[in-house]
Amino acid sequence: MNHCELEEVTQHINDKISMIKRLLELRAVAKDPDKRGTLLKIEQEVSAINNLLDRFEKYVGEQRGLLKHLKDLEGFFQEDEQDALHLKNNIPPHMPRRGQQAAPQGGGQVAVQSRQTDAPPAPQEQGPPRKPQRNQIKEMEFITVPEFDSIPPYMKGRVTYDQLNAAVQSINTAVTSKYKILHQPVKTLNNVSRTLHQRFKDQETKDTKGQFFIVEQDIKEFAQLKVDKRFVGMLSMLRHCQRLKEVRGGELVNSTCQQRYGHSLEPWELSLIWSFIVSIYCVGGLAGTLYAGRLAGMYGRKTTLLLNNVVAICGAVLMLLSKTALSFEMIMVARVLYGINAGVSLTVHTMYILECAPKRLRGMVGVSVASFVSMGKFFGQLLGISEVLGTEEHWIWLLAFSGVTGLLQLLTLPFLPESPRYLLLEKADKHGCETALRRLWGAKKDPGPEMEEMLAEHASLKGVKIHRLMDLFRDHNVRWQLLTVLVTFVTLQLCGINAVYLYSFDVFQAAGIAKENLRYAALGTGLCEVSTSIGCVLIIESTGKRVLLLRGYLCMAASLALLTLTLYLQNFVSWMPYCSMVLIFTYIIFFSSGPAGVTAPLPGEIFTQSYKPPAFMVACILNWTGLFLVGMLFPLIVKHLDYFCFLIFFVFCFFSGVFVWFHVPETKNKTVLEITEAFKKMHLKRRHSQQSKLSSVQINNIQTTISTKL
């Protein structure tokens, strides 16, 4: 033990001894009666002090709890203050201020009410009303949260609230930049701004006069935005919120309604009228198809085509006069006449060229129908660009151009003979058939073998009249031919060619092609289809139609599946749009070299002469009905499924390929009777094989039973 510890022990003992001495002294004092009263008073004072100390301790404890609570409140107030400062510094400009009225440009108004306080608002001095500034540019109000929540989910998609208001800000930037140039004197502008000023003036029409408007080129130039499908969807959302309205192609319709009825059409009314004008073409085509077979049987193929050209010319004349007469009803009637012309032509023209062609060239001639259809689409795209007829002044000539082709056929078709098969098999005019064959193939070639083939078919069909539509569905002998027509023509409309052409613009733009050059890329797809169709004409006689159909359907299905995958991955991989471009052209190549070329003449090859008119009628009814339904339902399918709609078309293509593999024979270099026998043999052989399998199973069961009994 060290020195310090001994001192502490000594000090402790001394303290104890001192305490004991004081206690003894107090004990001695307590025995004294004179001092006992004083001690009692001291005891009472000490008890009072102890009670006072207890009260102080309790009060101190309460104050400590209150202090802790105040500190917690201080922390809460500091957090609220930070949140308030954050809101103050980061409040978006599109949030309505207190007591502010948000007035959209589209006509609808959204009132934002402020919270009322107990104290009345201080009176404000009302000065003289401000005069509106001259050339003041109106900007679009931002979308509020309740308005964004009111937009239907199918319309919003994946667009967020901030992205939609960012588009509003970009549109406002484009409007402000455009009208700043327009409101300045031309003399004060430089050369670039002066060119823009002139362009803006040229863009104005009767519908846009007095309004603030922009076009896609303005958005791209001033806002640096990509006008793609997503931005178009945002424009639809802004129209839903009544922030803007769209003016497109309604000058003739609006002028007619204003002049005749004194009524200006709303945008939805204008869109409805133009949609009806576009879709009524399919109604006319369906009507022409229903009567094409009967007309071809009554008046002949050549006469029907000649009369049909008069219908096309009448439609073209109505188109040309509609703008002068300010009558959009004339455009509707002209579209119906165009549809009737197309419905009759597609049926009778195919019958005519197939009946005029020899057996060895029948496949090549039949495929030429699809080649000329693709050429028509290509020339329509070519004439529709702005450098040719795709302008506001010349659009009426573009719509009337079909009358030129009708007039050309009306002038040249009289030099061609009537269908030889029609003359021999339906009119029993052997001399006329021989004359027609010599005019078609030349006087040196003997038409005897071809006529013998026709006579053999005529002998087999002796006493058989031209069947009606119900006879085609009731006859079991042509059941598989009818199923082949149903499957191929339904798949022709539901194979996805329209979706591929639609998404090609997005793919080309994603690959870096400028907006103004997309029309030339579209011409590239049309040229690809034309060249492939011409190539199909050259190879069909050596390849065969069954092979082209089978290869086309299966390769189209594979292209659609891969295209769906690449469209999904193009947001993650930069070079994936180029793969999508390759798949689009691959799909077009297999479509135009397979189903597009083989399907149209198929009813004329697999049906006998008595069934050809109703067969072509069924085929064309399916074609026009499918075209109408695809035109009506396809935008809704794309809106809800986006590029996953290709999976639906994949199912149709794959199913049709399997059907052709098992149920369609080859038609190359075969007569109609030989093709009919091929259908019977294919399905009778399959039926016999199934029956033989069933009988073998029954025999095995019988043998098993006998062995068990033994």
Side-chain angles (χ1 to χ4, degrees):
M1 186 178 293
N2 54 24
H3 178 69
C4 293
E5 292 178 351
L6 288 175
E7 288 183 352
E8 290 178 357
V9 171
T10 303
Q11 182 67 30
H12 180 69
I13 294 174
N14 291 332
D15 292 339
K16 292 295 183 181
I17 293 172
S18 300
M19 186 178 294
I20 292 171
K21 287 181 178 180
R22 285 195 295 269
L23 290 174
L24 291 175
E25 291 176 355
L26 290 173
R27 185 177 181 183
V29 171
K31 293 179 179 181
D32 190 354
D34 298 332
K35 297 180 180 178
R36 184 174 294 177
T38 304
L39 290 176
L40 290 175
K41 290 181 180 180
I42 293 173
E43 183 180 2
Q44 292 175 357
E45 294 292 336
V46 171
S47 299
I49 291 173
N50 286 330
N51 293 332
L52 185 61
L53 289 175
D54 292 338
R55 290 172 59 186
F56 274 122
E57 288 179 357
K58 184 179 179 181
Y59 181 75
V60 169
E62 293 177 355
Q63 293 298 319
R64 285 178 178 174
L66 182 60
L67 180 62
K68 183 180 179 182
H69 181 65
L70 291 175
K71 288 183 178 180
D72 294 338
L73 288 177
E74 184 182 8
F76 292 148
F77 282 125
Q78 288 178 354
E79 292 179 0
D80 292 341
E81 184 181 7
Q82 292 177 358
D83 294 339
L85 290 174
H86 178 73
L87 288 175
K88 181 181 178 182
N89 296 329
N90 297 279
I91 184 170
H94 48 270
M95 293 295 291
R97 303 285 183 181
R98 181 179 178 180
Q100 181 182 0
Q101 298 287 333
Q105 276 186 335
Q109 293 185 356
V110 180
V112 182
Q113 298 179 354
S114 61
R115 287 183 288 180
Q116 297 179 355
T117 58
D118 295 335
Q124 297 180 356
E125 296 183 358
Q126 296 182 354
R130 295 183 179 180
K131 295 182 179 180
Q133 296 181 0
R134 188 179 180 183
N135 297 333
Q136 183 179 3
I137 301 174
K138 295 182 180 180
E139 294 186 357
M140 187 189 306
E141 293 289 339
F142 287 93
I143 301 297
T144 59
V145 175
E147 287 178 318
F148 184 78
D149 294 337
S150 67
I151 299 175
Y154 73 88
M155 189 179 294
K156 282 193 291 190
R158 300 180 182 178
V159 177
T160 62
Y161 176 75
D162 295 333
Q163 291 172 346
L164 183 59
N165 279 309
V168 173
Q169 181 64 41
S170 301
I171 293 175
N172 287 337
T173 302
V175 172
T176 305
S177 303
K178 175 179 179 178
Y179 282 92
K180 279 183 179 178
I181 297 176
L182 279 174
H183 291 165
Q184 292 181 8
V186 181
K187 297 180 179 180
T188 61
L189 299 175
N190 54 24
N191 293 331
V192 177
S193 300
R194 192 172 299 174
T195 304
L196 292 175
H197 188 279
Q198 184 62 38
R199 191 189 78 187
F200 298 152
K201 286 293 184 181
D202 295 337
Q203 290 174 355
E204 291 184 355
T205 61
K206 295 180 180 179
D207 297 328
T208 59
K209 190 174 182 180
Q211 298 182 7
F212 290 91
F213 77 98
I214 53 175
V215 297
E216 292 184 7
Q217 190 175 1
D218 302 333
I219 296 175
K220 183 178 178 182
E221 183 167 353
F222 295 112
Q224 302 297 325
L225 271 180
K226 186 179 180 182
V227 184
D228 52 4
K229 185 177 65 176
R230 186 178 187 182
F231 183 75
V232 173
M234 292 183 182
L235 293 181
S236 301
M237 297 166 64
L238 294 175
R239 285 196 297 271
H240 175 80
C241 296
Q242 297 182 348
R243 288 297 191 272
L244 53 84
K245 64 179 181 179
E246 185 178 8
V247 179
R248 55 176 183 177
E251 183 180 357
L252 179 61
V253 179
N254 267 332
S255 301
T256 303
C257 292
Q258 289 175 0
Q259 182 178 356
R260 191 178 303 166
Y261 309 110
H263 172 66
S264 181
L265 294 176
E266 296 293 332
W268 68 271
E269 295 175 328
L270 189 62
S271 299
L272 181 63
I273 292 176
W274 279 110
S275 299
F276 183 75
I277 291 174
V278 172
S279 60
I280 202 173
Y281 174 80
C282 299
V283 178
L286 183 59
T289 298
L290 292 175
Y291 290 96
R294 186 179 302 177
L295 293 174
M298 291 176 57
Y299 303 106
R301 283 51 165 163
K302 176 182 174 181
T303 306
T304 303
L305 289 175
L306 285 172
L307 295 176
N308 193 38
N309 294 322
V310 178
V311 177
I313 294 173
C314 292
V317 172
L318 288 176
M319 283 287 186
L320 290 174
L321 297 178
S322 62
K323 190 174 183 180
T324 305
L326 288 178
S327 174
F328 64 89
E329 294 88 352
M330 296 176 66
I331 296 181
M332 292 183 181
V333 177
R335 291 281 295 175
V336 173
L337 294 178
Y338 277 165
I340 294 174
N341 173 263
V344 174
S345 296
L346 189 61
T347 304
V348 181
H349 169 74
T350 307
M351 295 170 58
Y352 179 66
I353 62 172
L354 287 177
E355 292 175 356
C356 292
K359 181 176 65 175
R360 60 185 181 85
L361 298 177
R362 195 169 297 156
M364 181 185 299
V365 172
V367 175
S368 67
V369 176
S371 300
F372 284 106
V373 169
S374 60
M375 288 176 63
K377 291 192 293 185
F378 173 72
F379 282 112
Q381 293 174 341
L382 183 61
L383 294 174
I385 63 177
S386 58
E387 288 83 355
V388 188
L389 295 178
T391 59
E392 188 176 355
E393 296 81 12
H394 301 126
W395 65 268
I396 199 70
W397 294 97
L398 177 63
L399 294 180
F401 191 78
S402 297
V404 177
T405 58
L407 180 61
L408 179 63
Q409 190 181 62
L410 185 63
L411 296 176
T412 56
L413 191 59
F415 297 99
L416 298 178
E418 181 58 88
S419 166
R421 298 179 68 86
Y422 169 77
L423 293 173
L424 182 62
L425 301 182
E426 297 187 23
K427 294 297 182 180
D429 187 1
K430 185 176 180 180
H431 177 71
C433 175
E434 183 177 355
T435 304
L437 288 175
R438 291 188 182 277
R439 288 183 62 186
L440 286 171
W441 302 343
K444 295 182 179 180
K445 187 173 182 180
D446 184 18
E450 192 71 21
M451 292 184 62
E452 290 179 1
E453 177 190 335
M454 296 181 192
L455 290 173
E457 182 180 349
H458 181 63
S460 64
L461 297 175
K462 191 173 183 180
V464 179
K465 298 181 180 179
I466 299 298
H467 292 284
R468 296 182 179 180
L469 186 61
M470 294 306 299
D471 299 332
L472 180 63
F473 286 93
R474 292 172 182 171
D475 194 348
H476 294 283
N477 295 324
V478 293
R479 179 179 57 183
W480 287 105
Q481 289 93 317
L482 179 61
L483 287 176
T484 301
V485 170
L486 292 176
V487 171
T488 52
F489 275 85
V490 169
T491 309
L492 185 64
Q493 295 299 329
L494 298 178
C495 63
I497 184 65
N498 296 322
V500 170
Y501 275 119
L502 176 64
Y503 272 90
S504 63
F505 293 98
D506 294 337
V507 172
F508 293 153
Q509 198 166 3
I513 299 178
K515 178 73 174 180
E516 57 272 11
N517 295 329
L518 288 179
R519 50 186 176 177
Y520 304 114
L523 287 176
T525 57
L527 185 61
C528 176
E529 184 176 352
V530 172
S531 58
T532 309
S533 299
I534 296 174
C536 180
V537 173
L538 301 177
I539 66 172
I540 189 170
E541 292 299 333
S542 59
T543 305
K545 292 191 174 183
R546 182 176 182 271
V547 175
L548 291 178
L549 276 177
L550 180 63
R551 183 180 63 187
Y553 283 136
L554 296 181
C555 292
M556 285 162 60
S559 300
L560 290 175
L562 294 175
L563 182 60
T564 305
L565 181 62
T566 56
L567 289 174
Y568 173 76
L569 294 177
Q570 72 178 4
N571 294 326
F572 307 99
V573 183
S574 60
W575 48 267
M576 197 57 67
Y578 301 101
C579 297
S580 301
M581 288 179 60
V582 173
L583 289 172
I584 285 174
F585 282 100
T586 303
Y587 176 89
I588 293 174
I589 289 173
F590 283 108
F591 170 76
S592 55
S593 64
V598 177
T599 304
L602 195 60
E605 294 189 2
I606 63 178
F607 283 97
T608 58
Q609 189 73 16
S610 59
Y611 278 112
K612 282 183 181 180
F616 273 106
M617 187 182 300
V618 170
C620 292
I621 287 174
L622 291 174
N623 186 50
W624 288 106
T625 305
L627 187 64
F628 177 78
L629 293 177
V630 168
M632 295 294 293
L633 300 178
F634 178 69
L636 298 177
I637 295 174
V638 173
K639 183 180 291 185
H640 287 84
L641 298 180
D642 204 6
Y643 51 82
F644 288 105
C645 66
F646 289 124
L647 298 179
I648 299 176
F649 307 131
F650 163 80
V651 172
F652 280 96
C653 292
F654 183 77
F655 171 77
S656 300
V658 174
F659 180 85
V660 172
W661 176 269
F662 288 103
H663 300 291
V664 179
E666 182 56 69
T667 61
K668 181 176 65 174
N669 296 328
K670 292 182 180 180
T671 63
V672 178
L673 296 178
E674 292 173 349
I675 294 172
T676 304
E677 290 298 323
F679 269 103
K680 292 180 180 179
K681 289 180 181 179
M682 173 177 284
H683 297 95
L684 286 176
K685 182 178 179 182
R686 186 173 292 107
R687 187 182 304 171
H688 288 319
S689 64
Q690 292 177 357
Q691 291 178 356
S692 63
K693 289 181 181 179
L694 290 175
S695 61
S696 63
V697 171
Q698 293 176 357
I699 292 172
N700 291 333
N701 291 335
I702 293 172
Q703 291 178 353
T704 305
T705 305
I706 295 173
S707 62
T708 304
K709 290 181 179 180
L710 293 175

